[in-house]
Amino acid sequence: MVFFRSVSLLNKLRSRAVQQSNLSNTVRWFQVQTSASDLDLRSQLKELIPEQQERIKKLKAEHGKVQLGNITVDMVLGGMRGMTGLLWETSLLDAEEGIRFRGLSIPECQKLLPGAKPGGEPLPEGLLWLLLTGKVPTKEQVDALSAELRSRAAVPDHVYKTIDALPVTAHPMTQFTTGVMALQVQSEFQKAYEKGIHKTKYWEPTYEDSITLIAQLPVVAAYVYRRMYKNGQSISTNDSLDYGANFAHMLGFDSPSMQELMRLYVTIHTDHEGGNVSAHTGHLVASALSDPYLSFAAALNGLAGPLHGLANQEVLLWIKSVVSECGENVTTEKLKDYIWKTLNSGKVVVPGFGHGVLRNTDPRYMCQREFALKHLPDDPLFQLVSKLFEVVPPILTELGKVKNPWPNVDAHSGVLLNHYGLTEARYYTVLFGVSRAIGICSQLIWDRALGLPLERPKSVTMEWLENHCKKSS
């Protein structure tokens, strides 16, 4: 909760780094630094990239033929589920313990990353620094990055005009993605590529595009929200606020608690390794040397699907349907009946429960639960979510078809947003999109720095699979 600087904590962290190879290999523990270059994220990357380029060359040269596992017919027919096939440096998802950002768990990020105030939630700018460098930043570094993002946040007028050409009733994700595509005309990568930039320098204009895109996304997203739900009365940025608080401000929410929630929300939604639909889509499109705007717009279209980012919208709507039919103070037995009714209606799982990879309760759910217990313990919808946490997993376990009966990140986020007045569930995926840009763009910069190639997996037909299986039997 607090950004500790004490010697004793540093000693503990270094001890843990020795014990855990994934931390020692990927996380560079912070030092108190004061020079101008130390406060500049781009300069930090310029120092780190050469050694990482050598690292990937060595891996390929010495271990390129090492097998990582066997591919089964189930994997091919099941959407490549479980195949190890992507390099994604910024985060790693463990089925049991959840996500780690550059080796750090969510609780560790909450303790180590700087907050806007002592004991507060981590600033998203700090996680951006961590994802890009593998280093836990100082508060001074985070403040410098926050100032840089504010300096890049101005959105060209043509972007607003492009969004305004759409019906105001268009889905928020449609309007948001359209705005991102309109931003693409400013791409530095596209300009540099057309001039003939050397491939070893691809990461530099990619960095410029990515940081500018991250800076401008909250402005575009807030414009869509105010256009749809607040009669088009947009709110300008506040140069005294950090990234998360500024986003909340532009949406129209200035309470300190809502600002803290937005910092937490953006931080925990940034990245979830490379295999999820939005991250993989962004990586795939970028592998064709599409610029960050084109790549991220494609990622947003994947995020908009009901099996991915749109799920947070579906969860809150389902919870409200529970309240509508059963009341806020629903008994456990009546709640069980409603859950069985949901399952018997044809739904595979209860909205907000289960995950494609995780096999335990999502740590992102737990940190949101802790936030709710601290800030809104008496909220009726939060109490209902708590009751669902107790009731749903045993039912899904009894059903016998669900590998993970535990709640995921989407089970909680809508209830928190709803409490502070952001009640428009159709908009929630846009919030997810703003956050996810930090992870996708961070990895994209490293894709360019490491010279990762065009992605081109092999596909086969069912006839090929049938013939192969006959030969193997």
Side-chain angles (χ1 to χ4, degrees):
M1 304 291 284
V2 180
F3 184 57
F4 298 103
R5 297 174 185 265
S6 67
V7 174
S8 61
L9 178 58
L10 279 170
N11 288 335
K12 290 179 182 178
L13 291 175
R14 288 180 178 130
S15 175
R16 182 187 298 158
V18 171
Q19 296 171 5
Q20 299 183 15
S21 62
N22 64 321
L23 293 187
S24 63
N25 287 335
T26 59
V27 179
R28 301 167 174 274
W29 298 111
F30 69 89
Q31 298 175 342
V32 177
Q33 300 168 323
T34 56
S35 71
S37 64
D38 289 330
L39 301 181
D40 180 62
L41 182 56
R42 193 176 188 277
S43 298
Q44 293 278 308
L45 273 176
K46 202 161 188 175
E47 292 180 12
L48 289 169
I49 284 172
E51 65 180 67
Q52 295 302 311
Q53 289 172 332
E54 289 303 312
R55 185 181 177 191
I56 197 170
K57 286 179 184 177
K58 183 178 180 182
L59 265 175
K60 189 172 182 178
E62 297 181 4
H63 307 292
K65 304 302 181 184
V66 174
Q67 293 187 358
L68 295 176
N70 296 319
I71 296 174
T72 65
V73 173
D74 277 343
M75 290 176 174
V76 174
L77 298 178
M80 299 193 290
R81 189 67 55 100
M83 290 183 186
T84 300
L86 290 172
L87 179 64
W88 197 266
E89 284 289 278
T90 50
S91 65
L92 183 67
L93 181 58
D94 182 86
E96 301 299 325
E97 69 174 12
I99 193 69
R100 280 186 176 271
F101 302 114
R102 290 286 189 172
L104 294 179
S105 68
I106 285 178
E108 287 170 333
C109 286
Q110 288 180 290
K111 290 178 182 178
L112 293 170
L113 293 177
K117 59 182 181 180
E121 300 297 342
L123 292 164
E125 299 94 313
L127 191 61
L128 173 58
W129 189 289
L130 174 66
L131 292 181
L132 275 173
T133 69
K135 299 177 182 179
V136 175
T138 64
K139 183 64 163 64
E140 291 77 14
Q141 289 171 326
V142 170
D143 288 344
L145 180 54
S146 187
E148 181 179 1
L149 291 171
R150 285 195 298 270
S151 73
R152 295 173 179 245
V155 171
D157 287 341
H158 76 266
V159 176
Y160 302 123
K161 293 176 182 177
T162 304
I163 295 172
D164 288 341
L166 294 170
V168 73
T169 54
H171 194 280
M173 284 296 284
T174 302
Q175 298 188 46
F176 185 44
T177 306
T178 299
V180 172
M181 287 298 297
L183 287 171
Q184 189 273 340
V185 299
Q186 65 188 357
S187 172
E188 294 298 326
F189 180 84
Q190 183 187 47
K191 295 171 187 174
Y193 188 82
E194 290 174 351
K195 291 178 181 178
I197 186 174
H198 194 276
K199 63 182 181 180
T200 58
K201 300 292 185 180
Y202 283 169
W203 77 268
E204 296 183 13
T206 298
Y207 174 90
E208 296 302 320
D209 281 355
S210 296
I211 299 300
T212 298
L213 175 60
I214 290 169
Q216 293 176 338
L217 283 176
V219 182
V220 175
Y223 183 81
V224 170
Y225 178 78
R226 302 294 299 184
R227 177 179 188 251
M228 292 188 69
Y229 304 113
K230 304 298 177 182
N231 299 315
Q233 299 174 346
S234 59
I235 300 173
S236 300
T237 58
N238 184 330
D239 287 340
S240 67
L241 295 176
D242 57 84
Y243 190 83
N246 226 335
F247 189 18
H249 164 72
M250 289 185 289
L251 291 170
F253 304 97
D254 286 314
S255 74
S257 294
M258 180 57 167
Q259 291 179 351
E260 277 288 88
L261 174 60
M262 195 58 69
R263 293 174 185 125
L264 176 65
Y265 183 100
V266 173
T267 297
I268 66 175
H269 284 81
T270 52
D271 210 25
H272 216 231
E273 78 169 26
N276 65 76
V277 171
S278 57
H280 186 196
T281 301
H283 173 81
L284 171 63
V285 174
S287 78
L289 292 186
S290 298
D291 63 60
Y293 299 95
L294 296 174
S295 303
F296 184 65
L300 285 177
N301 287 326
L303 191 69
L307 294 183
H308 191 20
L310 203 68
N312 56 9
Q313 165 186 316
E314 300 301 307
V315 170
L316 185 64
L317 295 176
W318 181 80
I319 289 174
K320 288 188 174 181
S321 75
V322 176
V323 174
S324 177
E325 184 163 327
C326 305
E328 288 184 345
N329 298 315
V330 58
T331 64
T332 299
E333 290 306 313
K334 199 168 183 179
L335 186 57
K336 288 180 180 179
D337 290 340
Y338 191 85
I339 293 165
W340 278 113
K341 177 182 176 181
T342 297
L343 293 170
N344 292 331
S345 70
K347 287 186 178 291
V348 179
V349 297
V350 176
F353 286 77
H355 191 274
V357 177
L358 288 173
R359 294 296 174 259
N360 279 316
T361 301
D362 194 332
R364 299 172 299 172
Y365 172 92
M366 292 307 299
C367 71
Q368 290 181 97
R369 175 173 172 78
E370 291 167 4
F371 183 95
L373 287 168
K374 179 179 179 180
H375 294 282
L376 48 131
D378 299 323
D379 181 273
L381 289 185
F382 166 59
Q383 292 179 345
L384 177 57
V385 166
S386 296
K387 195 171 290 186
L388 288 168
F389 189 20
E390 298 174 8
V391 171
V392 174
I395 292 177
L396 294 179
T397 301
E398 180 184 342
L399 195 64
K401 298 179 181 180
V402 180
K403 293 181 180 179
N404 175 17
W406 305 105
N408 58 48
V409 64
D410 298 317
H412 220 308
S413 56
V415 167
L416 298 178
L417 296 166
N418 184 81
H419 175 83
Y420 289 108
L422 211 169
T423 58
E424 298 85 2
R426 291 181 81 221
Y427 183 80
Y428 288 173
T429 311
V430 175
L431 302 176
F432 199 160
V434 171
S435 175
R436 188 50 57 92
I438 292 175
I440 291 174
C441 289
S442 294
Q443 180 59 42
L444 175 51
I445 293 167
W446 277 104
D447 288 350
R448 296 283 198 263
L450 298 175
L452 298 190
L454 176 71
E455 185 176 314
R456 180 58 172 87
K458 172 66 177 170
S459 64
V460 295
T461 64
M462 278 199 288
E463 181 182 13
W464 187 97
L465 286 173
E466 289 165 346
N467 291 335
H468 179 78
C469 292
K470 287 177 184 177
K471 293 175 182 177
S472 301
S473 61

